[in-house]
């Protein structure tokens, strides 16, 4: 079954409709615990988690969400056992091969954020081809965070601004929030509305720190492999009930 297999190719309702967040990000947590509870190897949890990705992408399209950003592999995940990292990279290769045709057919545009070009060369090539092959699509934007860390992202932006300031291209006194946002990995995406974390943990874990400044945060005890359309709808319902003041009254 492919990542987007089974959902209609028709365009969804316009994003931003009443109660529907335009941009949703998810920290997909709990694959290992899901497997442990069933006395299965951790890779079984990751495979089941990939099925949850399919269901969630399909649901986001149907609901009318414009952008879905998934935290797939953090810069800190390199600390995991080498065998688990190898399994994860193998799973990534498999799904890139399996999903590209479906992404294109269903109008989904793929983006990748993070320092992902430091992954193995064949994975980088496959991702480049997937990004190029879906660049003209106008449906849901699916962004995968790979080798991503928000502190690293902000450090890269800071270094770029400092280089331009030294060359005289930028006046430090004229620096604006927009100038920073235009250099973030997420530049061009709608502002983040809703950030969801599964598995009961209640922290951002170095994910979209700048972008989450005024996002609504929803934490659920559900483990990622059990996440589905109903869980996404529940989170969106919580979002719809909240009053967003952005610091005002």
């Amino acid at each position: 079954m492919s990542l987007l297999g089974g959902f209609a190719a028709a365009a969804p309702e316009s994003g931003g409709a009443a109660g529907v967040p335009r941009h949703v990000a998810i920290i997909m947590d709990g694959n290992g615990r899901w497997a442990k509870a069933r006395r299965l190897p951790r890779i079984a949890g990751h495979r089941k988690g990939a099925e949850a990705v399919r269901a969630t992408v399909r649901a986001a399209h149907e609901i009318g969400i414009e952008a879905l950003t998934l935290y797939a592999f953090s810069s800190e995940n390199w600390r995991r056992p080498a065998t688990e990292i190898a399994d994860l990279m193998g799973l990534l290769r498999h799904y890139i091969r399996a999903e590209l045709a479906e992404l294109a057919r269903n109008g989904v545009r793929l983006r990748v954020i993070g320092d992902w070009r430091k992954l193995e060369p064949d994975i980088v090539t496959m991702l480049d081809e997937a990004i190029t092959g879906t660049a003209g699509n106008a449906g849901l934007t699916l962004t995968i965070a790979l080798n991503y860390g928000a502190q690293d992202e902000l450090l890269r932006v800071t270094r770029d601004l400092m280089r331009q300031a030294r060359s005289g291209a930028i006046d430090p006194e004229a620096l604006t929030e927009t100038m920073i946002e235009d250099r973030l990995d997420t530049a061009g995406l709608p502002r983040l509305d809703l950030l969801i974390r599964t598995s009961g943990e209640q922290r951002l874990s170095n994910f979209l720190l700048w972008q989450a400044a005024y996002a609504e945060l929803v934490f659920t005890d559900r483990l990622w492999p059990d996440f589905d359309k109903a869980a996404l709808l529940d989170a969106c319902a919580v979002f719809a009930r909240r009053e967003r003041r952005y610091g005002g009254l």
Side-chain angles (χ1 to χ4, degrees):
M1 183 178 180
S2 63
L3 178 65
L4 300 176
F7 82 56
E13 297 179 8
S14 299
V20 178
R22 294 183 65 199
H23 183 182
V24 176
I26 306 178
I27 300 173
M28 305 180 293
D29 194 15
N31 290 350
R33 274 169 279 178
W34 184 93
K36 183 177 180 180
R38 290 159 179 79
R39 298 183 180 180
L40 296 171
R42 287 179 65 86
I43 187 60
H46 294 310
R47 288 174 181 149
K48 184 66 175 176
E51 295 179 15
V53 170
R54 295 185 185 113
T56 303
V57 172
R58 184 184 306 121
H61 172 91
E62 293 170 351
I63 293 168
I65 291 168
E66 293 180 31
L68 177 66
T69 300
L70 303 177
Y71 203 9
F73 191 86
S74 78
S75 51
E76 289 76 28
N77 285 155
W78 294 110
R79 301 170 187 166
R80 294 188 178 188
T83 52
E84 182 174 353
I85 292 172
D87 285 340
L88 286 168
M89 292 300 121
L91 195 57
L92 176 59
R93 287 184 180 93
H94 171 75
Y95 281 103
I96 295 170
R97 293 190 198 100
E99 310 310 334
L100 181 56
E102 287 291 337
L103 288 170
R105 185 159 52 248
N106 290 288
V108 175
R109 181 167 66 112
L110 179 68
R111 286 183 57 164
V112 183
I113 62 172
D115 202 4
W116 59 275
R117 292 192 178 278
K118 289 185 178 178
L119 299 176
E120 294 181 33
D122 67 309
I123 294 178
V124 172
T125 298
M126 294 170 72
L127 288 170
D128 269 327
E129 291 173 352
I131 292 166
T132 300
T134 62
N137 294 345
L140 173 74
T141 298
L142 173 62
T143 302
I144 307 297
L146 289 168
N147 197 24
Y148 174 88
Q151 291 175 330
D152 174 71
E153 176 186 30
L154 293 171
L155 183 59
R156 286 186 276 113
V157 170
T158 302
R159 286 172 174 162
D160 179 53
L161 290 169
M162 289 179 67
R163 282 192 293 268
Q164 293 191 53
R166 281 199 303 266
S167 72
I170 290 178
D171 176 4
E173 297 302 319
L175 186 64
T176 64
E177 291 181 6
T178 298
M179 292 169 69
I180 294 173
E181 289 173 354
D182 288 345
R183 289 167 171 79
L184 294 172
D185 292 353
T186 52
L189 292 175
R191 182 164 291 186
L192 183 61
D193 290 317
L194 172 62
L195 191 150
I196 304 166
R197 180 166 187 155
T198 61
S199 85
E201 304 293 349
Q202 298 187 20
R203 55 182 177 272
L204 296 182
S205 293
N206 202 18
F207 184 50
L208 301 181
L209 298 181
W210 176 284
Q211 297 87 338
Y214 281 103
E216 297 299 320
L217 308 181
V218 172
F219 302 104
T220 173
D221 290 334
R222 188 181 300 233
L223 301 176
W224 175 249
D226 294 324
F227 199 86
D228 55 14
K229 182 176 182 179
L232 182 60
L233 286 169
D234 285 346
C236 288
V238 172
F239 170 84
R241 291 195 296 269
R242 291 186 182 171
E243 184 177 353
R244 309 182 77 197
R245 300 187 186 90
Y246 299 99
L249 298 178

